[in-house]
Amino acid sequence: MTELPKRYDPKSVEPKWYQRWMEDRDFVANPNSSKPPFSIVMPPPNITGVLTLGHVLNNSIQDILARRARMQGFEVLWLPGVDHAGIGTQTAVEKHLRRTENKTRHDLGREEFLRRVLEWQDKHGGIIIEQLKRLGCSCDWSRERYTLDDAYVAAVQNVFVDLYRKGLIYRGRRMINWDPAAQTAVSDEEVISKPQKGNLYFVRYEIVEEPGRFLEVATTRPETIMADTAMAFHPGDKRYADLLGKHAWRPLAREKIPIIADEAIDPEFGTGVLKVTPAHDALDFEIGQRHHLPIVDVLHPDGRINCPAVPELDGLDRFKAREKAAELLQTMGALAKTEAYENNVGFSDRSDVPIEPRISEQWFLRYPKTKDALAAVRDHLIRFFPPHWEKVYAQWLENIRDWCISRQVWWGHRIPAWYRKSQAPNSNSQNDEKIYVGINPPADAENWTQDSDTLDTWFSSWLWAYETMDEGTRKKFYPTSALVTAPDIIFFWVARMIIAGLEFKPGKSDRMEDNIAFRDVYFTGLIRDKLGRKMSKSLGNSPDPLELIDKYGADGLRFGLMRIAPRRQDIRFDEKQIEEGRNFATKLWNVARLRQMHGTSDVAPKIDNQTLSIYALELLARLNETIDAIEAAYREYQFNTVAQRIYDFVWSDYCDWFVEAAKTEIFGSDEAQKKSALAVMDFVLSAILRLLHPFMPHITEELWSLLDLGESSIQFALPPEKIRLDDVLDLTGKRQLVSAIYQTIQAGRNLRAESKLSSNRKIRFILRTGEKLISSQIPTLRRLLNAEEVELDPKYQAPAGNPVAVTPLGEIFLTVAAADRAGERQRLDKEIARIEVEMRAAEEKLGNQSFVDRAPAAIVEEHRQRLKGFSVQLEKLKHAREGLN
RNA sequence: GGGCGGUUAGCUCAGUGGUAGAGCAUCUCGUUUACACCGAGAGGGUCGGGGGUUCGAAACCCUCACCGCCCACCA
């Protein structure tokens, strides 16, 4: 046995153990094991990302599940990996290029640019993996995967080709969300609507057939007027009925446009007239389709106006052009008025610029298996924690629309489609003979051009649950046991992964439960700062987890975070909570030191129920309760409850009460008693370490090893089981006695403090009680009260002014010359008043016949007992009070 | 517009029908042979408002207010 250093030093202990675990290959999963499987796939962080608190929360939870399962005897696979993050990584490299070389990716060309991305990836990639190791994550690193691994790329392409052949992937010219900053299409899920302050412009369009008469329209986007190809009102709108079939003069790029009627127009909004701009608005596009309107596109891909017919606007940025267009309209007298207006505008999740609805030829996916995906969750083949996310999931699936999967980005999975060279890649034609889709290039490759686009990153991530595994691994570990992720990617990833599992899992069976990607999904909360703001780089309010690990240790960080791990949406982060985690580690360390100072621990301490002290029985009973509570909390993924229960048990039940009480025996001269107390300390400490190991892997392993509590690593020690106490004679009575003793101690300490006696002053207490069993407990009472003496005197006649408190054992007196009779009088009056209030409440309750008749008997009886107790206490206190007069 | 969460001590949050809790913060005392990253004690709450159900509501129902999130083609 090595002696424990005075202070726990996570900086040396944590890396030491992590290295050992890696060397021993403790995290490596064996698909041929006979143990039952437990598996988790890690949500892959971006390859060039750095660790955030969100990752810490997520991965700590996964590690807890993995480590607990290992202890329970499961063969555990926790499969880690990283994501190539198409748009994100490309944007970062482009930014870097612009800053350092003032070049765009087009200046370099595709090949050279991709080389630069690889360079960037080599430099910044994999940092996050090292950071996860510092957190203590027990992933099988030998299986680390990347969404651009050769095999993974092939799998993505296979799926694309397969879906194309099934007719579920198609190419089409449709309205999509265009990100003018990243210059790519994005999916509906990547558009975030935000309220935006702007203006509502009321523009007058002159009627061609009735010069001098105007049609007024309210618009937020006057810069798109040149793309208007009709004016529209609701068919039932009498105000404009006579204009149907006539024409209006478009004020910018002057042209005649038809006036039409369409159900989609809201007569209540603005003037009830809509300017129809099919090229730049989704609703207008639909109206245009219904009325066969031409489509006029007046925007460049980067968001500048493309309209030589109006030179004042041509080439201007869309927001500049908006102001300029309003000016132009003003000058020509076409602007009736301008109102300040706030509306919702779609922003790109990636670039944070307003999305431009745009017609574009893209690849789309019609989702397969949506009904099955819905059923899998509804019927709880897949369970969500907390369950209210089921509804969010269902709503998305019920309203699902085709997924735009092509991105005008170079970094990613290139679309395995080729176009015959005579065929312009972006033409309208959908003649299949001119498109070739396949894993390999067409035989006469020189006559074909490959599609220049790549696939949405999520189109590769949605295969993550099984394409990261080879066949043998899949056989053992798929479906995965649990998925831990943040709710903001429930659509991006979770839902799509469920669909992918149902549709393509290799070796799919007829039973849906074999194909689902995972059985349980635990959604974590979002970590916010103290003020409730989202953590963000721009706000600079996101603490660096590595700094927190340096300051508090990985275990401290993990435990602190898990204690506040939410069951609802948000967590407010406060470094104080991490500090508490660190303090808890220190507390644990110190109680272990205390134990170690009294000799070697026993690997299998013998607990003899018949000779245990009453304090030990109480502790063991509470350990049993704690184990039950923890089991129940794990079943519901309530990590905060697990952490809190362990915390309370260790700090309060074990350290503050049991260990302090047991010191009587530990420091005593009775060897048998001493041995018994130490055995209980060992037994419970061993249980504590095992309960805590999933949360605090390093310190528990260190103590396990230093105290020689087990033969091998704590990682594979069985979780503690409840100890049988049913053969203990009158356990309930003994526990009641302990409770009475503890209450008496608290009353005595209170007496001391209220009497303004300093904590360290040795004083005498007198206990007036009829309780026979108490005499043997006097040394313990003395220790816990820090008393010179605790005297037992069943017939004690208290002198006037003697401070007294009523306890379940009787009364406890402080034998000090009553320096302050007035203060004592005041104290007693307060106490008497309090009890009188409670007594009246109890009396009232019992006087209520309905209560007595209808409440459960046990509760009524409890009230009776309380009332009885109060009257006894009151009598004694009043007696004491009289002595002070 | 629809949906989902939330509102409990100064702060962060537990608590789903039976005497309102924890940690932090505050105040008092303390170098009591594990721990000042500690120990002991104390103060502090008409559980967002209003109605209802019930013998009994922080909890269940209705309603209102405010905060947050998600979804939605009112230009």
Side-chain angles (χ1 to χ4, degrees):
Chain A
M1 190 182 66
T2 327
E3 195 169 317
L4 271 63
K6 180 114 177 132
R7 230 165 223 272
Y8 175 60
D9 176 25
K11 273 192 179 145
S12 63
V13 172
E14 291 180 347
K16 176 186 79 182
W17 281 112
Y18 201 82
Q19 203 185 339
R20 176 81 68 82
W21 295 331
M22 292 289 278
E23 281 163 11
D24 293 349
R25 299 175 59 80
D26 290 330
F27 308 152
V28 175
N30 174 13
N32 302 317
S33 158
S34 57
K35 296 177 183 177
F38 181 90
S39 55
I40 298 180
V41 291
M42 175 190 290
N46 293 354
I47 181 154
T48 58
V50 290
L51 197 69
T52 65
L53 269 182
H55 292 123
V56 174
L57 176 67
N58 242 288
N59 288 288
S60 295
I61 290 171
Q62 291 172 70
D63 198 39
I64 287 165
L65 294 175
R67 288 180 181 276
R68 180 171 136 89
R70 245 174 240 122
M71 294 176 85
Q72 288 173 320
F74 287 91
E75 182 66 28
V76 172
L77 168 63
W78 181 13
L79 200 154
V82 286
D83 191 293
H84 67 283
I87 300 178
T89 307
Q90 168 157 330
T91 308
V93 176
E94 283 185 293
K95 216 180 258 171
H96 177 73
L97 265 181
R98 205 172 312 128
R99 230 188 4 248
T100 55
E101 302 175 38
N102 197 26
K103 280 185 183 157
T104 69
R105 66 183 153 120
H106 299 284
D107 294 334
L108 297 183
R110 187 169 192 133
E111 211 173 305
E112 173 61 14
F113 179 75
L114 289 179
R115 207 185 55 76
R116 298 296 185 92
V117 179
L118 288 173
E119 257 178 40
W120 175 269
Q121 174 187 303
D122 289 343
K123 192 170 163 206
H124 301 273
I127 293 174
I128 195 162
I129 296 297
E130 292 313 306
Q131 293 177 320
L132 286 170
K133 290 178 181 170
R134 284 210 51 199
L135 191 61
C137 293
S138 61
C139 310
D140 182 351
W141 297 109
S142 71
R143 293 170 184 271
E144 186 185 334
R145 293 290 183 267
Y146 182 30
T147 50
L148 288 179
D149 287 340
D150 290 347
Y152 202 94
V153 170
V156 170
Q157 293 190 332
N158 260 321
V159 163
F160 184 94
V161 173
D162 178 59
L163 288 171
Y164 179 77
R165 297 208 172 124
K166 285 178 182 158
L168 291 170
I169 280 182
Y170 62 94
R171 190 166 160 78
R173 194 172 154 77
R174 298 191 17 194
M175 184 56 77
I176 49 96
N177 306 297
W178 183 259
D179 177 334
Q183 297 207 30
T184 176
V186 296
S187 65
D188 296 339
E189 287 73 24
E190 287 163 279
V191 180
I192 303 164
S193 80
K194 292 198 227 177
Q196 193 71 356
K197 284 202 173 78
N199 293 313
L200 197 54
Y201 302 90
F202 289 76
V203 183
R204 308 197 308 161
Y205 288 51
E206 191 169 20
I207 310 296
V208 174
E209 287 82 357
E210 298 180 44
R213 184 176 172 193
F214 292 90
L215 198 52
E216 199 171 299
V217 64
T219 179
T220 53
R221 302 203 60 189
E223 76 279 15
T224 63
I225 285 178
M226 303 82 77
D228 293 352
T229 52
M231 303 298 284
F233 58 88
H234 191 271
D237 196 334
K238 295 207 177 68
R239 290 174 293 180
Y240 308 111
D242 67 310
L243 289 174
L244 185 63
K246 294 183 177 166
H247 296 77
W249 285 109
R250 187 169 69 198
L252 296 172
R254 190 173 164 89
E255 186 100 32
K256 288 182 201 172
I257 53 174
I259 300 171
I260 59 174
D262 194 285
E263 296 279 347
I265 284 96
D266 175 6
E268 304 291 317
F269 184 85
T271 60
V273 181
L274 175 73
K275 67 188 226 10
V276 186
T277 320
H280 300 298
D281 184 277
L283 175 67
D284 293 18
F285 177 74
E286 282 172 28
I287 296 174
Q289 294 292 94
R290 285 199 282 274
H291 298 269
H292 309 289
L293 297 174
I295 295 168
V296 179
D297 188 336
V298 296
L299 281 170
H300 287 297
D302 63 359
R304 285 177 307 115
I305 300 292
N306 176 16
C307 183
V310 185
E312 296 93 325
L313 300 180
D314 191 40
L316 278 187
D317 176 77
R318 51 190 169 146
F319 304 112
K320 288 247 166 56
R322 182 172 303 169
E323 293 167 21
K324 188 73 188 168
E327 272 175 41
L328 285 176
L329 293 166
Q330 177 83 298
T331 349
M332 63 177 68
L335 188 63
K337 60 174 173 176
T338 306
E339 284 177 1
Y341 187 64
E342 191 175 286
N343 65 336
N344 284 323
V345 176
F347 277 70
S348 165
D349 190 14
R350 186 58 57 186
S351 320
D352 202 33
V353 298
I355 284 291
E356 203 54 63
R358 187 162 182 251
I359 314 263
S360 172
E361 180 145 46
Q362 302 284 347
W363 288 94
F364 296 90
L365 166 73
R366 193 174 303 124
Y367 286 96
K369 295 283 188 294
T370 54
K371 291 238 159 55
D372 289 350
L374 216 45
V377 172
R378 186 196 56 220
D379 302 340
H380 295 154
L381 290 180
I382 297 172
R383 296 191 307 160
F384 282 4
F385 298 87
H388 69 254
W389 291 108
E390 287 173 10
K391 200 161 179 178
V392 176
Y393 169 86
Q395 276 173 356
W396 182 75
L397 269 172
E398 280 159 4
N399 299 299
I400 201 161
R401 285 179 301 173
D402 291 359
W403 176 10
C404 174
I405 54 173
S406 43
R407 295 290 174 275
Q408 288 64 58
V409 162
W410 288 345
W411 176 243
H413 298 257
R414 191 148 178 192
I415 294 180
W418 283 260
Y419 308 99
R420 205 173 271 290
K421 272 193 177 153
S422 54
Q423 182 88 19
N426 286 321
S427 88
N428 274 327
S429 165
Q430 287 199 11
N431 187 342
D432 269 1
E433 290 172 13
K434 309 238 163 128
I435 297 184
Y436 167 84
V437 171
I439 310 283
N440 300 307
D444 52 337
E446 65 279 8
N447 295 323
W448 298 80
T449 316
Q450 187 173 3
D451 193 313
S452 58
D453 291 351
T454 54
L455 290 162
D456 183 358
T457 300
W458 297 105
F459 189 88
S460 64
S461 332
W462 75 329
L463 310 177
W464 190 251
Y466 54 85
E467 281 306 340
T468 46
M469 302 180 191
D470 59 33
E471 205 177 321
T473 308
R474 210 151 41 216
K475 193 152 180 262
K476 176 83 181 171
F477 292 107
Y478 189 94
T480 62
S481 314
L483 180 77
V484 179
T485 188
D488 53 351
I489 54 172
I490 184 169
F491 310 138
F492 283 113
W493 197 49
V494 180
R496 287 170 180 163
M497 210 161 21
I498 293 173
I499 292 173
L502 295 174
E503 177 71 14
F504 325 104
K505 184 230 159 185
K508 205 164 62 162
S509 85
D510 293 337
R511 297 170 59 230
M512 215 200 274
E513 53 265 53
D514 296 332
N515 306 326
I516 54 173
F518 22 73
R519 305 201 187 284
D520 290 354
V521 182
Y522 175 73
F523 291 103
T524 67
L526 219 62
I527 302 187
R528 296 173 171 278
D529 71 4
K530 256 201 260 189
L531 304 172
R533 298 174 305 180
K534 241 178 161 164
M535 297 278 183
S536 81
K537 272 185 198 157
S538 55
L539 279 172
N541 58 351
S542 176
D544 178 359
L546 272 296
E547 276 174 30
L548 294 173
I549 290 176
D550 285 341
K551 261 170 104 172
Y552 305 109
D555 288 345
L557 172 60
R558 290 166 59 126
F559 192 83
L561 208 52
M562 291 320 300
R563 250 179 102 207
I564 52 166
R567 297 170 51 205
R568 279 178 273 108
Q569 297 210 2
D570 298 347
I571 315 170
R572 295 212 178 190
F573 178 77
D574 186 343
E575 196 170 319
K576 271 263 171 338
Q577 289 151 336
I578 307 306
E579 198 179 318
E580 280 177 45
R582 188 267 321 260
N583 293 353
F584 181 57
T586 307
K587 185 74 179 177
L588 184 68
W589 184 259
N590 276 307
V591 78
R593 279 184 67 217
L594 167 73
R595 169 62 192 89
Q596 191 232 24
M597 284 170 182
H598 294 93
T600 316
S601 297
D602 197 335
V603 176
K606 303 224 174 12
I607 302 296
D608 177 2
N609 285 355
Q610 305 313 316
T611 61
L612 288 175
S613 74
I614 52 173
Y615 309 104
L617 285 170
E618 173 66 16
L619 179 72
L620 292 171
R622 292 207 180 203
L623 174 62
N624 285 351
E625 290 164 8
T626 304
I627 289 171
D628 277 341
I630 287 174
E631 285 296 318
Y634 267 122
R635 276 197 292 276
E636 297 297 316
Y637 291 86
Q638 293 175 1
F639 300 98
N640 55 340
T641 305
V642 176
Q644 189 61 38
R645 289 301 297 236
I646 303 179
Y647 182 94
D648 289 341
F649 179 73
V650 171
W651 208 301
S652 174
D653 294 331
Y654 189 66
C655 295
D656 289 346
W657 288 110
F658 173 73
V659 171
E660 290 306 322
K663 278 178 180 173
T664 310
E665 291 152 9
I666 294 170
F667 293 126
S669 50
D670 184 325
E671 280 305 313
Q673 279 187 356
K674 178 174 176 177
K675 221 178 138 188
S676 167
L678 291 176
V680 172
M681 270 197 86
D682 287 340
F683 180 86
V684 176
L685 189 56
S686 164
I688 286 170
L689 293 179
R690 282 174 287 154
L691 288 174
L692 209 44
H693 178 255
F695 285 71
M696 303 183 117
H698 310 91
I699 189 174
T700 49
E701 182 80 284
E702 175 79 354
L703 289 173
W704 187 259
S705 146
L706 289 175
L707 297 180
D708 289 321
L709 285 171
E711 318 247 302
S712 59
S713 166
I714 191 173
Q715 294 177 99
F716 301 97
L718 286 171
E721 279 175 28
K722 291 201 285 178
I723 186 165
R724 287 194 56 175
L725 294 172
D726 48 8
D727 58 344
V728 174
L729 194 68
D730 190 23
L731 180 63
T732 313
K734 285 175 177 162
R735 291 193 66 185
Q736 274 169 0
L737 178 60
V738 173
S739 165
I741 290 171
Y742 287 169
Q743 283 179 59
T744 302
I745 287 160
Q746 285 178 312
R749 286 166 173 173
N750 174 264
L751 268 188
R752 172 203 285 274
E754 295 284 312
S755 305
K756 308 281 179 223
L757 296 171
S758 70
S759 301
N760 62 343
R761 190 159 151 203
K762 293 279 179 187
I763 48 178
R764 291 176 64 222
F765 288 94
I766 291 165
L767 187 59
R768 185 162 73 190
T769 178
E771 176 60 61
K772 302 277 186 304
L773 291 169
I774 207 68
S775 58
S776 59
Q777 304 304 331
I778 293 303
T780 301
L781 279 165
R782 193 164 55 212
R783 172 175 293 279
L784 293 178
L785 282 165
N786 194 30
E788 170 117 66
E789 190 52 71
V790 175
E791 234 171 84
L792 261 189
D793 184 353
K795 301 212 173 71
Y796 179 65
Q797 295 293 318
N802 193 345
V804 60
V806 180
T807 83
L809 287 175
E811 300 115 296
I812 186 162
F813 297 88
L814 196 57
T815 60
V816 169
D820 184 7
R821 286 173 72 103
E824 182 60 12
R825 240 185 331 246
Q826 215 174 17
R827 193 182 68 78
L828 284 175
D829 284 342
K830 222 164 105 187
E831 186 68 5
I832 288 167
R834 187 185 64 82
I835 290 181
E836 277 176 344
V837 167
E838 296 214 35
M839 214 173 137
R840 265 198 301 276
E843 271 169 354
E844 207 171 298
K845 197 101 191 190
L846 288 166
N848 181 340
Q849 200 54 44
S850 304
F851 170 72
V852 177
D853 292 346
R854 307 183 61 171
I859 287 163
V860 177
E861 184 52 32
E862 203 182 302
H863 276 80
R864 290 219 171 92
Q865 290 300 324
R866 278 181 59 204
L867 188 59
K868 215 192 277 176
F870 285 145
S871 56
V872 173
Q873 281 187 30
L874 205 55
E875 200 183 309
K876 290 176 179 171
L877 287 171
K878 280 185 170 162
H879 180 77
R881 178 68 180 74
E882 273 163 28
L884 285 166
N885 283 334

